[in-house]
Amino acid sequence: MKLKNEPSREDVELTAINVSKIYGNKTLALDRVNFSIKKGERVCIVGESGSGKTTLAKILCGMIPPTSGEIRFLNKRIDEMSEMERRIFRIKVQYIPQLPDLALDPTWYLYDSLVEPLRIHKLIASKQEERDLVREICEMIGIRMEVLMRKPGNVSGGELQRVVIARAILLMPYILIADEPTSMLDPSLQAKIIKILLDIQSKYNMGMIFITHDLELAKYVSNRIFIMFKGKFVESGLTNEVLINPHHSYTKSLILNNTS
Amino acid sequence: MKKIFAAGILVVLTLSLAAVYFQALPITNQPLKQNKTLVIGTINLVRTDNFVKDYYMGIFSACFILDPLARIDASGKVIPYLVNWSTNDSRVWRLNLIANAKWHDGKPVTAEDIAFTIMYLKEKDPNYAVHFQFVNSAVALDNRTVEVTLTKEWTAFIVGLAATRLIPKHVWFNVTDPSAYTGNNRNIGCGPFIYQGFDSASGTMTFIANKDYWKGKPNVDKVILKFYTTTDAMLMALKKGEIATTYAYAKGIDPIYVPSLLGDKNITIMVYPNFGVDNSLWFNCKRYPYNITEFRIAISYALDYGDYLNYIAAGYGEIPTRGWIPNCWDYYVIKPKLSKNSSYAEQLLSSLGFFDRNGDGWRDYPNGTSMIMKIIARSDIAESLRLAELVKRDLEKIGIRVQITPVDVSTFQTLTQRTKDFDAAISRTTFWGMMMYAGAGTLYFDHRNMGWANVDDPEYIAIVDEILRTANQTRVKQLYERIQDLYAERMYVIPLYWGKIIQPYRSDLVEGISYEPMYGILGRDTWYSIK
Amino acid sequence: MNKMEIIGISIISCIIFMALLSFGIGSIIDFPKSKQYSPPSIQNPLGTDDLGDDILELLIIGSRTSLLVGFLGALFSTIIGTIIGALSGFFRGVLDDVLGVIIDVFLVIPALPLMIVLAAYLSPSFWNIVIVIGLLWWPTTARLVRARAWQLKSAPFIESLLALGASKTYIVFKHVLPNVLGIASARFILSVSHAILIEAGLSFIGLGDPTNPSWGTMLHFAMTRGALLYGAWWTFIPPGLAISITSLAFIILGMGLEQRQKLSTRSMEDII
Ligand SMILES: Nc1ncnc2c1ncn2[C@@H]1O[C@H](COP(=O)(O)OP(=O)(O)O)[C@@H](O)[C@H]1O
Ligand SMILES: [Mg+2]
């Protein structure tokens, strides 16, 4: 599987430098955060609900602008990119949103939603090519084709989440941000979805950001971890080191709560 | 839930509307005769009490406040009132003030006032442009004599005198725009009643009897006009005894209401002849194909006159004759009654080339294009629309496609009188309209005048011109007879029915009402005959 | 289907059937005339009016105009309201401020008197009535659609489309409009009921098209030709009831649809 306009480089890096976000002049959601991820890395961001994880994810993929600080992709500030560079950024950094039920247009057939990003960016030449690509992805992720002939209201949470993941994967991103991808699913499904994501990551050598509040999961999927508390990273480092030897009191309480 | 509730209320309202009718009507019988106050209901709504600006205020001020120079008697003849007149050549007229009249503010009425009124109204009031169209000058020779000079011989000049509402020079001489004048003395006249006031909130207007009126004090002390927006409400009030009688200018009540009044023993219904033609189908005689006499005649055979009489006039009236002029006029000539003959109408139309050429079931123009006859009717007059509907059905039965265009008063006037942009129209005429210009309805026909029918037939025009300059009454009558021949032969206008004036009153509240063709029961005679 | 929808739909089907029937029975001209204001009898089951026309036939023929004006007026107002609401809610900014002011102005000015003035100014005709209803009845729809479009703007699938670089016009027409269609169709059904009432009201006061027989014109001529004083209740009760029942049916159906709309989007409203 190969898409047009792929920059032929291996040194892909997505960086956040001193990023702050204030919502509506009062909520400080992010406070001078520094973060970076390279192609091939698996990184976890862990923090309790409301700590600013989603905000950071949205800023990283350019969905919302930061109040201050900068985001760099391929060594270029994303707000200073040319149209061409911007297009590549939009294709190559993908975000899987937190809520699967409104992650896709409820009035659209899943097939159309699935291929919509390809169509918007005119990444494929023919209907035939499109169908082949979809078939390939669906096989890989485990989506039955007839599911795609339905609308979001008529499929299960697991199926929907797979389609949302497939939609992001179709674009062959360098960096994939998965925002609590399993929080709405029951445990048996959770494991399957995580496995799919990890398989894809290694197959295409993507950089993958997992956002979660589950330390066990973090331990399992990531080699680097960031602990977020009230809009700040209070601790970061190799996952094993941080979890075995936490410095910050918040990390300690997290570990305590998780094990109990 | 609120909406369901609202719709539920709607259902209840509809049902209660029915209940309103079935509820007994309480009669609050006030002996109006004793305190000598007469309450009259009317649907002729006055919006502002300026008689130049407001049409119906003009009518009511003529009935109560302002005196005319001449009057029209019950047979339709012009007779002296404030003035007498003489002329040798029908061009220079002498008006002689014969009444010892006084204005409501005590000042005497003089020849100056008469001369002033004629020239002032001619200049300022568009309604008088027709009455005084040939007036060149009016000068007071002394206290009692006015000399009026016309631009040409005109025997019908005195008809205008009957329409003239004398106004005081000392009030109006420096008012430049009478329709905007709001001075407190704006309703001073020399008539039998003194204006007291208009209460637009309660919809009443009050007049007090003038003790010093030159003909003597009227038999009532006070008259109150009550305005109603619907005939239903007005007649309901009549049934309850809140009003003694009803009034509509040049019109009675819609005859369809008669059956609902007949059962009431206190209500008496008077039926008077209508000198106007109740409703006619007016053709634009300059527009093709209505300029074809045979075409108009064909249409006159398509109409079911019996239906109009039954459904519109509720049987109160008669089927007109072909001469258009109603049979109450003294110059009326007997003509054959109009009658329906569809096969003749169809045959005539086909022979003129108006038959269905494209197979759609409708007659087309001889050149093959499809024909549609647009009839305009007044949207504010229900009978007019209903009549138009019946005419439409009759014409559609013989294959003429018809479209009714409902229009308001001012659009109707614009289309029929100014732009002449219409095929046919449905409208009635008034007694006064029949009198004006050369009389016999010429005002409504002659294309040089108001001319709804837009007639430019040279033969017709010649007769009108001769009437205008003829003083000899025998000759005028001959001409009127000749004009009826033309009406019958050329069918410029088809009379649809001749109605009657239907005037109800409560015999327990008022008696001795008189009637005259011009102002109906609000003529001068009523004030002295009423008991 | 909920109970309300079933009730609404069954009444409406009856009335639509009536309107269809009118094409079969042809024009009132084809019927023999009876005496004016004859009370109900075997020959004229609902009596006759001032022209001796059969009330039942008129009722059936009139249903056509009443329904058609209702549908077209509602359609017109719903289309205007939906497009303005969707654009305004989605784009926000200056466009929304301007459209918001327009919506507010239209909401504040009393619609009925304005309609009366407009209808009086335009000459009475079928299309003018439709236009008057359409032009003045859209703001409520626009306001609801605007609120929904605003909510949609922060729905994840729209955010992700924005992040993907999809154009805003594309999003409005491909995603926002289909998503407000549910609420718009519920509004449409409610508007039909309003439009039918407005048509009846305008016709009743003589601003309708008197040449197109409708229930409103039947009432108009009953009131202006003395039916009330005559006691000819059969001339105004049937059209009055027909208007009330029809608009009630559309209100019930519309409320049923609106309820369903609320249920299906509860999750979204709760979370956003
Ligand atoms: N669109 C927004 N407007 C205002 N405040 C917001 C918005 N999105 C998030 N927030 C606030 O910012 C903070 C961080 O939220 P979020 O990034 O969603 O946290 P998390 O994903 O860790 O649960 C919270 O206090 C949240 O209420
Ligand atoms: Mg979150």
Side-chain angles (χ1 to χ4, degrees), chain A residues 58 61-64 90-91 94-95 97 99 101-108 116-117 120-121 167 171, chain C residues 152 154-167 170 174-176 178-179 267-268 271-272:
Chain A
K58 285 181 176 177
C61 71
M63 212 175 252
I64 55 174
R90 283 179 160 145
I91 294 170
Q94 283 302 312
Y95 172 68
L99 297 169
D101 55 335
L102 269 180
L104 297 173
D105 189 327
T107 64
W108 277 41
E116 191 184 16
I120 287 172
H121 286 293
R167 190 171 188 257
L171 290 171
Chain C
L152 278 171
S154 41
F157 72 93
I158 301 276
E159 279 191 330
S160 79
L161 282 166
L162 285 169
L164 262 174
S167 85
Y170 169 86
K174 291 283 191 177
H175 292 280
V176 178
N179 275 286
S267 56
M268 187 172 93
I271 293 156
I272 297 171

Side-chain angles (χ1 to χ4, degrees), chain B residues 152-177:
Chain B
K152 59 184 245 184
E153 293 174 329
W154 187 28
T155 54
F157 166 64
I158 51 168
V159 176
L161 299 182
T164 306
R165 300 150 192 169
L166 188 66
I167 56 171
K169 184 180 181 182
H170 61 274
V171 171
W172 296 94
F173 74 99
N174 59 5
V175 176
T176 46
D177 180 6

Side-chain angles (χ1 to χ4, degrees), chain A residues 169-232:
Chain A
I169 304 301
L170 263 182
L171 290 171
M172 294 290 111
Y174 295 146
I175 310 287
L176 184 65
I177 308 168
D179 193 352
E180 311 206 25
T182 58
S183 60
M184 305 292 276
L185 305 176
D186 58 71
S188 65
L189 265 178
Q190 280 185 17
K192 281 186 191 152
I193 297 287
I194 296 298
K195 186 167 182 312
I196 290 168
L197 284 171
L198 292 179
D199 286 351
I200 292 166
Q201 190 272 331
S202 51
K203 182 167 178 190
Y204 297 105
N205 196 29
M206 290 173 183
M208 187 171 294
I209 304 171
F210 279 93
I211 293 174
T212 179
H213 49 252
D214 184 345
L215 280 181
E216 280 307 309
L217 183 63
K219 215 187 287 179
Y220 177 62
V221 298
S222 67
N223 23 48
R224 254 188 331 133
I225 191 167
F226 290 78
I227 308 290
M228 183 163 259
F229 180 60
K230 289 190 176 163
K232 277 190 177 141

